[in-house]
Amino acid sequence: MTKGTFMLDPQGISKAVEFTETELKKFKGIKNIPSTLISVEEAMVMLMENGGGYGLDVYVYKNISGIYVKITAEGKEFDFKNDIDLGVDLLKDEYDSAAQDTIRAILLRAYGDSIKYQNKGGRSTVVFTVSKSEKALLYLTVAGLVLGILFGFILKLMPSDISAGINTFALTPIKTLFMNALKMLVAPVVFFSLVSCVSQFNNLRELGRTGGKVMGYYMFTTVIAIAVGFAVSFAVRPSAAGIAELVTSSGGQVSEIAETPSFIDTVVNIIPENIVEPFITGDMMQIIFIAIICGIAVGSIGSYSKALADFFGACNDLFLGITTMVVRFIPIATFCAIASSTMAMGGDSLLSMLGMTATVILGLLIMLVVYSVILSSRGINPLLFFKRISAGMITAFSTGSSNAAMPVNMKICGEELGIAPKIYTFSIPLGATVNMDGTSVCGVIMSMFFARAFGIEFTAAQLIAFAVTVLVLSISTPGIPGATIIVTSVMFASIGLPIECVALVFGVDSVIDMFRSAINATGDMAITAIVAKSEKLMDMAVFNRKKK
Ligand code: ASP
């Protein structure tokens, strides 16, 4: 950790910014230094304006979870989130203040995790997360996967009472702990994320036609992604041999699919008789219904609207924080789940899981073709487009997170694609929250695979209902590593599959997550470009320029 102390005046601030820049440049590979410095400088000015006239301390440090800048000074508490300038000023002439507030809310929601403010004992402290080492989690998960397979084979060779003991007293309890934590999180994550999203949609009206267009395209590509998922599942039909036996051997049971409720019953059942019960019984359709209603109502109740929107936003951040904490244990859970299933797994189930992984990756790659078709129909050269956005795709791929790739993606939209900030400052954070094409492809293919393993047949109406579930769940999937694991448990349950199937997904998901996140991020940038071009807010000379 390096520390610098400066005067809390304009001169001191410019020295402090220089110091921060020099120290950050010592770490290799940080891409968002300029944008970090703008926010750091802005925060220092706020500390000065509210300061007690003493010095400003700046710390630049790296630890296992990432690289951080911490600035602290004496002074009174202030409303950091409302006062900080997130580049929204750039748009002053283009939007009225309500629209600016909306953009600010979207940006803060997206950045919420990377800037933290507190005032304790008359001292204000702001911590900026410059880069998070999500890669560490990915490497550990892949290590968990490989070691888990090896350990599974070792267990197979051991005397059966010893291996059964290790499985019963160590592997299975740890796996169950993790599964319980996931189950516990599903309802609140989906609920709060949806309420916050829907209340944001209300505000999107403030952004006018462009906001609606972006949202419309996001939903359109998600529907196509779901269709691609079905098409690939039905065309490839990867073998699911050995999977049902494996899941059943770890206690999983297919729920009786009662005779299909009529359309009228399905619709009528969406509204619960009691507002608390769905959270106890875990009825996701009812929870989703309550969330959408709350989201709409939050925007229309006058003076309490803002307080409530803040409250739901805070709860959303809270559960996102808890999810991030739980997700950190994925490497251990993967190790235990995969060791336990390799021990029980015959060669056929191992091959089946590999076949499913390959099918999902094929579906994800087909999305690139879909984007290419849409882009070229709008006069944007897809190959050049993919070349221009490659850094964003690689960031999402290597971190397994479209949120982590967001700063890079915004920069690419401005500098490489020539898009006006007016569009990408809201469309990219919004897309990282609601537009999950990769997640949708993946959810459909995985669900259809396990359904085939258990011989579940669907009627057309059931498939449509399932598609709607995937659409809504994709909106409520956070753009963090492994988030699909949480929502697949709801997708699986919605078609009667046992939750134990999720344990098999852990094993292969770290690889799929990289492709999925890259597609999620690509979808956001493709739609941003399409809408920007149609609004004449994309400078084609910048996009088509020859690079030196
Ligand atoms: N990791 C994905 C993303 O950040 C989310 C998911 O797991 O589906 O886009």
Side-chain angles (χ1 to χ4, degrees):
M1 171 181 307
T2 40
K3 179 186 171 192
T5 301
F6 305 88
M7 300 291 288
L8 195 48
D9 60 17
Q11 262 186 342
I13 288 181
S14 57
K15 281 193 188 134
V17 173
E18 252 170 56
F19 166 82
T20 312
E21 182 173 12
T22 319
E23 291 306 315
L24 282 178
K25 280 188 174 155
K26 289 184 185 161
F27 300 110
K28 282 197 197 91
I30 309 181
K31 297 197 181 75
N32 53 339
I33 294 184
S35 59
T36 304
L37 291 178
I38 294 173
S39 318
V40 167
E41 183 171 5
E42 175 73 18
M44 286 174 179
V45 170
M46 289 166 71
L47 289 184
M48 180 179 77
E49 283 166 358
N50 296 280
Y54 299 98
L56 164 73
D57 290 335
V58 182
Y59 301 83
V60 180
Y61 58 97
K62 180 176 179 172
N63 62 24
I64 182 129
S65 59
I67 297 172
Y68 302 87
V69 175
K70 179 166 110 179
I71 57 176
T72 161
E74 284 196 14
K76 58 181 192 298
E77 188 165 5
F78 52 94
D79 188 352
F80 181 76
K81 288 212 164 180
N82 270 328
D83 296 343
I84 190 162
D85 172 5
L86 289 157
V88 181
D89 269 2
L90 271 178
L91 309 168
K92 250 188 187 138
D93 302 334
E94 307 188 42
Y95 286 122
D96 61 14
S97 70
Q100 283 182 36
D101 281 352
T102 303
I103 298 176
R104 184 186 298 281
I106 294 174
L107 277 172
L108 270 176
R109 186 156 170 228
Y111 277 121
D113 212 27
S114 52
I115 309 177
K116 293 210 165 65
Y117 167 82
Q118 69 164 9
N119 185 293
K120 249 197 198 154
R123 207 171 170 86
S124 286
T125 304
V126 191
V127 181
F128 296 83
T129 306
V130 185
S131 82
K132 269 199 176 169
S133 46
E134 266 103 356
K135 277 187 194 167
L137 180 68
L138 190 74
Y139 294 151
L140 285 174
T141 311
V142 174
L145 168 70
V146 175
L147 293 177
I149 294 176
L150 287 179
F151 190 58
F153 280 117
I154 295 174
L155 288 176
K156 265 182 195 276
L157 302 175
M158 281 183 179
S160 61
D161 45 348
I162 299 186
S163 57
I166 295 178
N167 192 21
T168 316
F169 295 108
L171 301 179
T172 306
I174 296 176
K175 188 175 85 179
T176 311
L177 276 178
F178 188 74
M179 299 276 284
N180 287 350
L182 288 182
K183 284 195 227 170
M184 165 188 93
L185 283 173
V186 171
V189 165
V190 171
F191 178 76
F192 288 113
S193 165
L194 257 190
V195 177
S196 315
C197 280
V198 176
S199 56
Q200 232 170 59
F201 294 167
N202 291 331
N203 294 339
L204 273 180
R205 261 184 245 134
E206 310 281 359
L207 296 176
R209 203 188 45 194
T210 326
K213 229 184 199 180
V214 170
M215 207 47 224
Y217 266 110
Y218 280 161
M219 292 301 100
F220 171 66
T221 50
T222 305
V223 170
I224 295 187
I226 293 172
V228 166
F230 280 126
V232 172
S233 296
F234 295 134
V236 179
R237 300 180 71 83
S239 156
I243 296 296
E245 298 72 19
L246 190 61
V247 175
T248 318
S249 72
S250 57
Q253 292 287 332
V254 179
S255 337
E256 268 313 302
I257 312 192
E259 85 234 37
T260 329
S262 71
F263 179 72
I264 294 290
D265 285 348
T266 313
V267 173
V268 168
N269 283 338
I270 285 181
I271 304 187
E273 280 175 41
N274 175 316
I275 200 155
V276 184
E277 209 175 276
F279 293 91
I280 297 170
T281 56
D283 185 323
M284 285 318 291
M285 282 326 269
Q286 295 184 341
I287 291 177
I288 287 168
F289 171 79
I290 301 174
I292 293 176
I293 291 293
C294 287
I296 294 172
V298 161
S300 61
I301 49 170
S303 57
Y304 290 121
S305 284
K306 186 170 175 330
L308 269 179
D310 285 350
F311 168 75
F312 283 118
C315 291
N316 186 35
D317 284 356
L318 171 70
F319 283 98
L320 215 62
I322 299 177
T323 306
T324 310
M325 279 158 62
V326 170
V327 161
R328 282 200 195 121
F329 291 94
I330 283 188
I332 299 174
T334 300
F335 173 83
C336 296
I338 206 81
S340 160
S341 25
T342 308
M343 187 185 124
M345 215 183 245
D348 53 350
S349 37
L350 191 65
L351 279 180
S352 297
M353 286 310 289
L354 291 177
M356 183 206 71
T357 306
T359 313
V360 173
I361 293 175
L362 173 72
L364 291 170
L365 294 178
I366 290 178
M367 280 313 289
L368 291 181
V369 180
V370 170
Y371 297 135
S372 302
V373 173
I374 306 180
L375 284 164
S376 32
S377 74
R378 303 294 142 136
I380 300 173
N381 177 343
L383 289 182
L384 187 59
F385 175 82
F386 291 130
K387 194 171 149 204
R388 296 271 187 257
I389 66 157
S390 55
M393 290 172 85
I394 292 169
T395 311
F397 184 88
S398 56
T399 56
S401 163
S402 36
N403 273 5
M406 202 166 47
V408 182
N409 295 349
M410 297 227 264
K411 196 163 168 266
I412 288 176
C413 285
E415 292 172 12
E416 298 291 323
L417 306 180
I419 295 172
K422 175 177 173 168
I423 296 220
Y424 71 74
T425 45
F426 83 89
S427 68
I428 294 293
L430 181 68
T433 320
V434 304
N435 184 37
M436 300 282 171
D437 300 342
T439 303
S440 309
V441 171
C442 190
V444 172
I445 298 181
M446 286 178 175
S447 305
M448 291 300 112
F449 168 81
F450 285 107
R452 184 140 18 79
F454 284 95
I456 300 176
E457 302 281 340
F458 297 98
T459 62
Q462 284 170 328
L463 281 186
I464 293 173
F466 174 66
V468 174
T469 310
V470 175
L471 177 76
V472 178
L473 287 173
S474 77
I475 296 175
S476 45
T477 306
I480 56 173
T484 286
I485 294 179
I486 295 191
V487 288
T488 44
S489 62
V490 186
M491 291 180 199
F492 291 172
S494 78
I495 50 174
L497 287 169
I499 182 116
E500 281 73 13
C501 295
V502 179
L504 285 185
V505 172
F506 292 164
V508 286
D509 195 66
S510 50
V511 179
I512 298 178
D513 197 20
M514 302 199 272
F515 289 90
R516 179 170 69 220
S517 308
I519 294 298
N520 286 343
T522 305
D524 302 344
M525 287 185 277
I527 297 311
T528 301
I530 286 166
V531 174
K533 180 146 192 277
S534 74
E535 295 288 314
K536 306 214 176 352
L537 288 169
M538 180 169 174
D539 185 343
M540 293 311 279
V542 173
F543 177 68
N544 288 319
R545 79 196 182 283
K546 294 236 167 359
K547 267 197 177 174
K548 278 159 252 148

